[in-house]
């Protein structure tokens, strides 16, 4: 810093000579000439330093304004001359000339700015005037571009050039166009005049919109949808290319893209989907068109809202296919397993479509799931069909399958199971089928059964499958019991070796003990059994009750099978024996004929106490043409009256030694139809009625109880709840098993109110209170 | 003395001439630290062609100090070491200031 010890003088600056006006004018004159020279591209002759110094001096001596005004005037003169020149230029060369002029002007302005840099730094900042370079641009815009003759022609030429390109006539104009666009951008920026937006962007966007609107319409009317998709994608690419080539700013590019997409896609989305033969809806029917659909999807995805149309089409298709499947099944053209297989194939097909054509989009997948659920849950039909299908699998279909195959098959079943909303209907049917399989020993593989149950457990929880597991348990325990009973009997017999039990021959029985709650109940009073059988039963009962005191056994005579040894032939000739495998009731009937040769219907009924409809069914099955063990008195298929006489047919023959006598189907009893085709369907033809969409009565009742229990449980926890909230809660909790309709829940609520489990609050009768 | 370009190092020298005629040789890169000089040498005027710049308004002793400063700045820009002070004699301070404004450095 300054050394205060040493006195010093600041040398006076060179005597400040105020510049007087004439000197100033001269200095300015020199500069003006220089600018002229620069314009004439003679700059290399000049000394920068001298000019710079001149400008510096002018500003220093407070002649800044003179300088600035002078420069402005000079530039203005030159630019007007340029504009005049451009006026003369013919259209074909105009854009090119403008571009060249613009480039030259830029160079000139840079040089002028350099000379006047001192002014830029000081005077302009102080006086807040337009800097020199921007001044140059501003004047260019005003004098050259805005010249009426220039601007109009240039604009038109620009638009024409773009239109030409679109028509496919690629010209060299691209570079010139690019330069002009850049020029407009810079001009606009220099003086914030939006020249670019007004003179280029707006007409450009407008023209583009018109072009694509017309083109897309005409193309679509003449070509297929798939072709249109390809063309549209190409157009979009072209435009993107062009925007890049012309270096359009982003502010133009994004509205441009959006607008083209609207014109090409949004406007025609509906048409593209609906078009015959090649529209999306039509493509869905064809399995080979996955790539075409995917291309269409790729196009639509640019305008996300239009993909809705595609999803709609998919949902419609699924619904239509589903309806077709259902009506097939209704008309009886296909049986339940075929229906399920149809659904499975359908599902796999649409899965693939979603994966490939929709690129696995989540929304579409969800939509597909909803569509499937919609048509499957139209009524409870799907649940019963599915249960029949599973029954068939486990009885026959999975015979000899490997573990992997089993898992795969069951997985597919579970997939459909998930779509069902009436899961409890399925459960009740499944239980019935399972009971028959277990009791009849018809299950193809124990492992498969257990695999199925564990899958169900994984889906719906323990509660769902507890009864089923109970059934398995019962079977296991029965088998153990059976073994121990056998050894017990053997011990007994060896002890009583000498003793004969009268003239009643001992009959071998196999007993399955079922816990009442688990199995589907059939409360039928026992019929009168033949004495031998009754004896064996009594002995077993005694044995069992000794083991488990306090229990009660009730014998289900409506189920069960028996093996009879029957001798046919009249006396000496044709003496042949057969072993007949029959149901319990049939056994009772046949053994009567040991003592009687012929009986009427009424007599048989009184002697056996078999319920009438079952009696008829079993009798008819014993006199069908295939298995005519008894001969029926009346003509025709059905049983005429109580007095119809049945006689033992000694002439019965059969090729097999062991003959299984099947039961006729329930429905054919009244019509008197033929016996069922084979032993395998004996199980199927029984209890489960023809598959229809109604909900079986026990399930209906169960639902009532479940809903009421849910309501009470919820109210107990919440104490007080509004009507809508309560319904929502109940629906949510029960959704695992089935979907209760709100009306149904409402009725249950009313019923509970009557029974004083709930009450309505006094002030707001939509709110319920729990009554302890 | 004209500009010379040594072939092995590609160094371009410029000549600055003061009011009294003193000539100073500088590395071009060093000279370009001054904004005004930079513009002069990059433009398309006469100075750029022969790399000679005349300053008829700047005295020799001022120009000398300016050149010193340019070297000083070039040496210590982005330096990690401790930067020594650039000494300005108070009697030249004013003129130096004016020149600095003129030369934009």
């Amino acid at each position: 810093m300054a050394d205060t010890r040493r006195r010093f003088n600041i040398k006076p600056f060179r005597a400040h000579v105020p510049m007087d006006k004439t000197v100033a004018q001269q200095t300015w004159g020199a500069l003006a000439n220089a600018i002229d020279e620069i314009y004439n591209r003679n700059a290399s002759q000049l000394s920068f330093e001298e000019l710079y110094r001149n400008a510096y001096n002018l500003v220093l001596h407070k002649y800044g304004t003179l300088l600035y005004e002078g420069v402005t005037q000079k530039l203005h003169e030159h630019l007007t001359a340029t504009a005049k020149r451009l006026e003369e230029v013919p259209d074909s060369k105009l854009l090119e000339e403008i571009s060249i002029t613009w480039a030259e002007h830029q160079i000139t302005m840079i040089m002028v700015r350099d000379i006047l840099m001192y002014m830029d730094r000081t005077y302009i900042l102080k006086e807040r005037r337009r800097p020199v370079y921007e001044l140059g641009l501003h004047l260019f815009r005003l004098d050259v571009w805005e010249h009426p003759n220039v601007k109009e022609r240039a604009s038109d030429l620009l638009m024409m050039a773009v239109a030409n390109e679109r028509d496919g006539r690629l010209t060299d104009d691209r570079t010139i166009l690019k330069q002009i666009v850049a020029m407009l951008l810079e001009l606009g920026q220099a003086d914030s005049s939006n020249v670019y937006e007004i003179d280029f962007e707006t007409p450009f966007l407008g023209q583009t919109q018109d072009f694509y609107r017309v083109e897309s319409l005409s193309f679509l009317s003449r070509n297929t949808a798939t072709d249109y998709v390809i063309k549209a994608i190409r157009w979009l690419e072209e435009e993107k290319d062009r925007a890049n080539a012309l270096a359009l700013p982003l502010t133009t590019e994004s509205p441009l893209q959006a607008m083209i997409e609207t014109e090409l896609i949004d406007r025609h989305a509906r048409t593209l989907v609906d078009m015959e033969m090649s529209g999306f809806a039509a493509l869905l029917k064809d399995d080979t068109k996955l790539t075409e659909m995917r291309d269409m999807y790729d196009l639509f995805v640019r305008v996300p809202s239009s993909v809705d149309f595609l999803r709609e089409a998919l949902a419609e298709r699924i619904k239509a296919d589903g309806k077709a499947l259902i009506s097939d099944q209704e008309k009886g053209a296909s049986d339940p397993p075929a229906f399920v297989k149809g659904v499975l194939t359908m599902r796999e097909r649409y899965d693939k479509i979603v994966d490939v054509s929709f690129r696995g989009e989540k929304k579409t997948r969800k939509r597909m799931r909803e569509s499937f659920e919609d048509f499957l849950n139209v009524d409870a039909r799907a649940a019963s069909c599915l249960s029949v299908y599973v029954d068939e699998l486990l009885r026959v279909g999975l015979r000899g399958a490997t573990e992997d195959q089993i898992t795969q098959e069951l997985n597919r079943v579970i997939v459909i199971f998930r779509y069902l909303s009436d899961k409890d209907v399925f459960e009740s049917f499944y239980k019935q089928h399972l009971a028959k399989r277990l009791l009849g020993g018809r299950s193809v593989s124990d492992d498969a059964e257990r695999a199925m149950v564990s899958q169900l457990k994984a889906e719906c929880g323990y509660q769902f499958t507890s009864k089923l597991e109970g059934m398995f348990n019962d079977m296991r325990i029965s088998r153990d019991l059976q073994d121990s009973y056998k050894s017990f009997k053997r011990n007994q017999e060896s002890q009583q070796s000498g003793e004969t039990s009268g003239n009643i021959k001992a009959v071998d029985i196999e007993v399955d003990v079922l816990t009442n709650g688990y199995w589907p109940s059939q409360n039928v009073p026992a019929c009168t059994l033949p004495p031998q059988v009754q004896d064996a039963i009594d002995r077993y009962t005694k044995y069992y009750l000794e083991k488990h005191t306090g229990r009660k056994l009730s014998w289900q005579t409506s189920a069960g099978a028996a093996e009879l040894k029957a001798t046919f032939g009249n006396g000496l000739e044709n003496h042949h024996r057969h072993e007949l495998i029959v149901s319990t009731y049939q056994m009772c009937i046949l053994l009567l004929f040991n003592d009687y040769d012929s009986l009427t219907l009424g007599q048989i009924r009184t002697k056996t106490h078999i319920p009438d409809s079952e009696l008829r069914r079993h009798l008819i099955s014993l006199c069908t043409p295939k298995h005519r063990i008894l001969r029926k008195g009346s003509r025709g298929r059905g049983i005429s009256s109580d007095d119809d006489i049945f006689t033992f047919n000694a002439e019965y023959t059969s090729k097999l030694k062991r003959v299984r006598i099947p039961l006729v189907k329930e429905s054919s009893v009244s019509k008197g139809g033929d016996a069922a085709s084979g032993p395998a369907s004996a199980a199927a033809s029984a209890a489960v009625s023809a598959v229809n969409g109604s909900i079986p009565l026990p399930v209906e009742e169960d639902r009532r109880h479940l809903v009421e229990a849910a309501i009470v449980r919820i109210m107990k926890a919440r104490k007080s709840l509004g009507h809508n909230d309560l319904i929502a809660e109940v629906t949510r909790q029960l959704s695992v098993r089935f979907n209760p309709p709100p009306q149904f829940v409402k009725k249950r609520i009313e019923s509970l109110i009557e029974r004083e489990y709930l009450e309505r609050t006094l002030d707001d009768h939509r709110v319920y209170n729990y009554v302890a | 003395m004209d500009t010379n370009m040594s072939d092995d190092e590609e160094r371009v020298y410029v000549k600055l001439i003061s009011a009294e005629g003193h000539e100073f040789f500088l590395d071009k890169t060093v000279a370009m630290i001054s904004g005004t000089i930079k513009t002069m040498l990059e433009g398309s005027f006469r100075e750029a062609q022969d790399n000679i710049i005349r300053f008829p308004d700047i005295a020799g002793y001022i120009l000398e100090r300016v050149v010193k400063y340019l070297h000083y700045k070039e040496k210590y820009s982005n330096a990690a070491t401790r930067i020594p002070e650039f000494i300005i004699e108070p009697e030249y301070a004013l003129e130096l200031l004016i020149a600095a404004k003129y030369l934009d450095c």
Side-chain angles (χ1 to χ4, degrees):
Chain A
M1 287 320 299
D3 191 351
T4 44
R5 278 177 282 132
R6 210 179 75 187
R7 277 197 61 210
F8 59 89
N9 299 348
I10 296 177
K11 276 221 204 104
F13 191 52
R14 290 191 296 276
H16 185 79
V17 178
M19 198 188 266
D20 74 315
K21 214 111 199 278
T22 37
V23 178
Q25 289 289 9
Q26 278 174 341
T27 323
W28 163 240
L31 277 173
N33 282 339
I35 295 183
D36 284 337
E37 291 299 320
I38 292 176
Y39 253 99
N40 294 334
R41 287 176 276 124
N42 273 340
S44 51
Q45 304 298 331
L46 305 166
S47 159
F48 179 89
E49 198 278 325
E50 187 187 330
L51 298 169
Y52 183 77
R53 199 166 18 96
N54 282 341
Y56 168 78
N57 280 328
L58 277 176
V59 175
L60 198 62
H61 288 98
K62 314 248 188 284
Y63 286 103
T65 319
L66 167 74
L67 178 60
Y68 193 82
E69 302 288 319
V71 167
T72 314
Q73 184 55 27
K74 214 42 157 108
L75 288 176
H76 181 63
E77 277 171 24
H78 279 279
L79 287 173
T80 326
T82 313
K84 258 219 155 42
R85 188 169 52 83
L86 283 177
E87 238 183 306
E88 311 293 321
V89 172
D91 278 359
S92 55
K93 290 254 173 244
L94 182 61
L95 290 180
E96 199 180 334
E97 272 303 312
I98 294 181
S99 187
I100 297 175
T101 314
W102 163 249
E104 280 176 3
H105 180 75
Q106 278 180 306
I107 298 175
T108 314
M109 279 321 300
I110 291 178
M111 287 198 268
V112 172
R113 179 200 62 194
D114 284 345
I115 306 175
L116 301 176
M117 210 194 298
Y118 188 78
M119 182 173 74
D120 255 352
R121 272 189 279 137
T122 50
Y123 172 79
I124 278 176
L125 288 180
K126 210 167 75 161
E127 301 292 325
R128 278 198 278 265
R129 307 197 72 159
R130 212 188 287 268
V132 174
Y133 188 73
E134 278 75 12
L135 174 68
L137 297 187
H138 174 71
L139 290 174
F140 186 89
R141 178 174 73 82
L142 287 178
D143 291 335
V144 178
W145 179 253
E146 301 279 332
H147 193 279
N149 191 282
V150 171
K151 184 158 88 159
E152 275 177 32
R153 282 199 295 157
S155 285
D156 290 341
L157 286 170
L158 276 176
M159 288 305 128
M160 239 174 29
V162 174
N164 279 346
E165 243 198 63
R166 288 226 178 90
D167 275 344
R169 281 172 291 203
L170 193 62
T171 52
D172 292 329
D173 282 337
R174 250 197 193 180
T175 13
I176 300 183
L177 282 179
K178 182 170 174 184
Q179 286 163 350
I180 303 235
V181 168
M183 170 184 89
L184 288 174
L185 274 171
E186 225 188 306
L187 284 181
Q189 252 177 359
D191 54 1
S192 317
S193 58
N194 292 338
V195 158
Y196 169 75
E197 281 82 2
I198 303 173
D199 289 335
F200 180 76
E201 196 183 43
T202 324
F204 175 69
L205 287 179
Q207 191 192 48
T208 314
Q209 192 177 39
D210 290 335
F211 175 77
Y212 280 112
R213 190 171 291 177
V214 168
E215 273 300 305
S216 59
L217 207 54
S218 80
F219 191 86
L220 199 54
S221 63
R222 279 178 285 124
N223 300 72
T224 65
T226 15
D227 287 337
Y228 178 84
V229 168
I230 299 175
K231 183 89 178 156
I233 293 183
R234 235 221 346 253
W235 269 328
L236 283 164
E237 303 254 329
E238 268 177 27
E239 282 302 320
K240 196 138 190 242
D241 244 3
R242 188 168 307 119
N244 273 343
L246 294 182
L248 294 181
L250 270 173
T251 45
T252 311
E253 217 182 307
S254 24
L256 179 70
Q257 281 274 333
M259 184 191 60
I260 301 182
E261 281 167 7
T262 320
E263 289 301 321
L264 288 181
I265 304 174
D266 221 8
R267 262 178 207 286
H268 301 287
R270 190 104 278 253
T271 331
L272 285 173
V273 168
D274 290 341
M275 200 187 258
E276 264 188 41
M277 296 288 286
S278 61
F280 193 75
L283 289 181
L284 274 173
K285 294 192 198 141
D286 190 341
D287 274 334
T288 60
K289 297 274 188 221
L290 289 179
T291 13
E292 280 85 349
M293 286 200 280
R294 189 188 53 197
D295 286 338
M296 206 178 274
Y297 173 75
D298 281 339
L299 182 66
F300 274 58
V301 110
R302 290 163 186 263
V303 184
S305 57
S306 61
V307 185
D308 273 344
F309 283 110
L310 299 182
R311 286 191 211 113
E312 270 302 313
L314 182 69
E316 284 295 318
R317 193 89 279 270
I318 293 181
K319 238 198 313 196
D321 276 354
K323 252 208 202 117
L325 271 182
I326 289 182
S327 66
D328 269 351
Q329 197 267 320
E330 244 171 9
K331 284 186 284 196
S334 70
D335 53 346
F339 173 76
V340 175
K341 281 202 196 92
V343 175
L344 279 171
T345 354
M346 215 176 105
R347 191 190 165 275
E348 272 170 18
R349 177 162 179 263
Y350 284 105
D351 228 10
K352 199 160 86 155
I353 290 185
V354 171
D355 270 340
V356 174
S357 304
F358 283 84
R359 295 189 187 275
E361 187 195 43
K362 274 209 189 81
K363 259 197 189 165
T364 317
R365 216 179 271 289
K366 186 160 170 267
R367 200 70 198 277
M368 179 182 114
R369 185 167 53 83
E370 284 167 7
S371 308
F372 265 89
E373 279 175 9
D374 275 344
F375 89 81
L376 278 176
N377 290 317
V378 150
D379 54 21
R381 172 197 317 272
S384 39
C385 283
L386 188 63
S387 59
V388 172
Y389 176 72
V390 173
D391 184 50
E392 204 194 71
L393 271 185
L394 289 170
R395 253 193 305 115
V396 179
L398 289 177
R399 196 187 299 275
T402 66
E403 196 176 315
D404 281 334
Q405 279 172 318
I406 294 179
T407 329
Q408 199 191 36
E409 276 300 320
L410 292 182
N411 270 339
R412 296 166 85 202
V413 170
I414 289 289
V415 159
I416 305 244
F417 178 71
R418 277 200 202 107
Y419 287 138
L420 295 177
S421 63
D422 294 318
K423 296 193 173 68
D424 53 352
V425 173
F426 175 80
E427 190 207 7
S428 117
F429 281 133
Y430 185 76
K431 253 202 323 197
Q432 287 174 4
H433 287 296
L434 179 64
K436 255 183 251 106
R437 283 202 299 278
L438 288 177
L439 292 178
R442 292 211 181 289
S443 177
V444 92
S445 137
D446 224 22
D447 283 335
E449 296 278 354
R450 285 185 189 283
M452 181 72 199
V453 173
S454 58
Q455 292 252 25
L456 284 175
K457 186 151 78 169
E459 272 306 303
C460 301
Y462 171 67
Q463 233 197 7
F464 195 82
T465 50
S466 58
K467 293 203 183 118
L468 303 174
E469 305 214 329
M471 286 159 85
F472 282 119
N473 261 351
D474 280 348
M475 295 308 294
R476 201 173 34 87
I477 295 177
S478 299
R479 231 168 302 277
D480 292 342
L481 259 177
Q482 192 64 30
D483 292 337
S484 66
Y485 181 65
K486 270 215 185 69
S487 46
F488 166 80
K489 243 193 359 188
R490 249 180 287 125
N491 286 343
Q492 247 202 353
E493 266 157 31
S494 57
Q495 280 172 16
Q496 315 163 335
S497 44
E499 223 177 284
T500 53
S501 22
N503 54 355
I504 301 178
K505 263 213 210 137
V507 170
D508 262 331
I509 53 170
E510 260 185 39
V511 182
D512 287 323
V513 183
L514 318 172
T515 314
N516 193 17
Y518 297 152
W519 298 74
S521 54
Q522 319 209 17
N523 286 328
V524 178
C527 66
T528 313
L529 293 167
Q532 313 95 306
V533 180
Q534 190 64 45
D535 183 55
I537 282 183
D538 289 335
R539 266 189 282 154
Y540 185 91
T541 315
K542 206 171 92 181
Y543 171 72
Y544 185 82
L545 289 177
E546 254 164 45
K547 265 200 158 207
H548 303 278
T549 48
R551 291 197 188 174
K552 181 166 167 310
L553 288 178
S554 57
W555 294 88
Q556 303 288 310
T557 46
S558 51
E563 239 181 66
L564 300 176
K565 287 205 183 60
T567 319
F568 297 94
N570 20 24
L572 315 158
E573 17 165 309
N574 301 335
H575 200 97
H576 44 262
R577 301 185 124 213
H578 287 290
E579 281 172 17
L580 304 173
I581 305 190
V582 294
S583 73
T584 311
Y585 286 155
Q586 284 170 333
M587 170 192 73
C588 297
I589 297 171
L590 287 177
L591 267 107
L592 287 179
F593 286 90
N594 270 349
D595 304 321
Y596 300 89
D597 259 339
S598 61
L599 291 163
T600 65
L601 176 65
Q603 288 171 321
I604 300 181
R605 191 186 306 124
T606 27
K607 288 197 194 288
T608 61
H609 291 108
I610 299 177
D612 190 55
S613 57
E614 290 293 317
L615 182 58
R616 284 175 190 263
R617 193 154 75 100
H618 290 255
L619 272 174
I620 295 207
S621 54
L622 288 171
C623 17
T624 60
K626 253 177 103 178
H627 308 280
R628 193 156 274 158
I629 316 248
L630 298 177
R631 249 180 293 135
K632 186 162 57 91
S634 65
R635 307 249 72 194
R637 291 278 170 99
I639 299 181
S640 52
S641 71
D642 269 11
D643 296 319
D644 210 353
I645 298 187
F646 293 88
T647 342
F648 181 74
N649 180 16
E651 271 118 42
Y652 173 77
T653 56
S654 165
K655 277 182 278 182
L656 308 161
K657 187 114 172 82
R658 273 170 79 92
V659 189
R660 196 180 273 266
I661 311 289
L663 289 171
V664 297
K665 284 205 172 82
E666 255 182 52
S667 50
S668 49
V669 171
S670 35
K671 285 189 255 170
D674 247 77
S677 47
S681 50
S685 58
V688 179
S689 49
V691 171
N692 56 17
S694 59
I695 300 176
L697 216 45
V699 178
E700 185 78 37
E701 266 190 43
D702 259 352
R703 287 187 176 184
R704 276 200 212 116
H705 294 305
L706 279 172
V707 171
E708 290 184 355
I711 295 175
V712 172
R713 191 172 50 234
I714 294 169
M715 290 307 297
K716 188 162 180 187
R718 309 281 200 95
K719 297 284 180 265
S720 149
L721 201 55
H723 179 83
N724 287 335
D725 292 328
L726 181 56
I727 294 196
E729 226 4 73
V730 169
T731 316
R732 203 174 57 80
Q733 285 197 7
L734 292 175
S735 62
V736 189
R737 284 181 69 81
F738 69 101
N739 267 339
Q743 273 302 86
F744 188 72
V745 179
K746 186 162 191 275
K747 274 217 210 92
R748 295 293 101 221
I749 297 178
E750 306 277 330
S751 151
L752 284 174
I753 291 178
E754 255 174 55
R755 286 183 271 155
E756 297 194 0
Y757 279 92
L758 299 181
E759 67 181 3
R760 291 208 156 94
T761 42
L762 295 162
D763 26 327
D764 183 358
H765 76 98
R766 304 272 304 167
V767 177
Y768 304 105
N769 280 344
Y770 177 69
V771 177
Chain B
M1 279 150 263
D2 300 286
T3 44
N4 48 20
M5 209 142 114
S6 49
D7 304 278
D8 34 318
E9 283 173 333
E10 291 256 16
R11 271 213 190 147
V12 185
Y13 286 87
V14 300
K15 186 157 77 169
L16 307 179
I17 308 181
S18 76
E20 297 95 350
H22 292 125
E23 296 170 352
F24 298 90
F25 286 94
L26 294 175
D27 230 16
K28 191 166 184 180
T29 28
V30 177
M32 303 259 265
I33 295 177
S34 150
T36 317
I37 297 181
K38 178 172 192 265
T39 321
M40 284 194 219
L41 292 173
E42 281 178 351
S44 47
F45 293 88
R46 202 170 63 218
E47 280 81 357
Q49 286 164 17
D50 32 10
N51 283 339
I52 300 178
I53 308 183
R54 294 188 169 73
F55 293 108
D57 272 1
I58 303 184
Y61 52 90
I62 300 297
L63 196 53
E64 185 190 356
R65 273 164 187 76
V66 170
V67 169
K68 257 201 198 151
Y69 174 75
L70 289 178
H71 283 102
Y72 167 85
K73 175 151 182 192
E74 201 233 5
K75 182 171 173 191
Y76 290 114
S77 295
N78 308 322
T81 60
R82 197 182 142 272
I83 304 177
E85 191 188 332
F86 184 77
I87 309 228
I88 302 179
E89 294 88 341
E91 47 264 30
Y92 306 132
L94 182 57
E95 291 179 62
L96 211 48
L97 188 59
I98 295 170
K101 197 92 171 46
Y102 185 80
L103 292 172
D104 187 25
C105 69

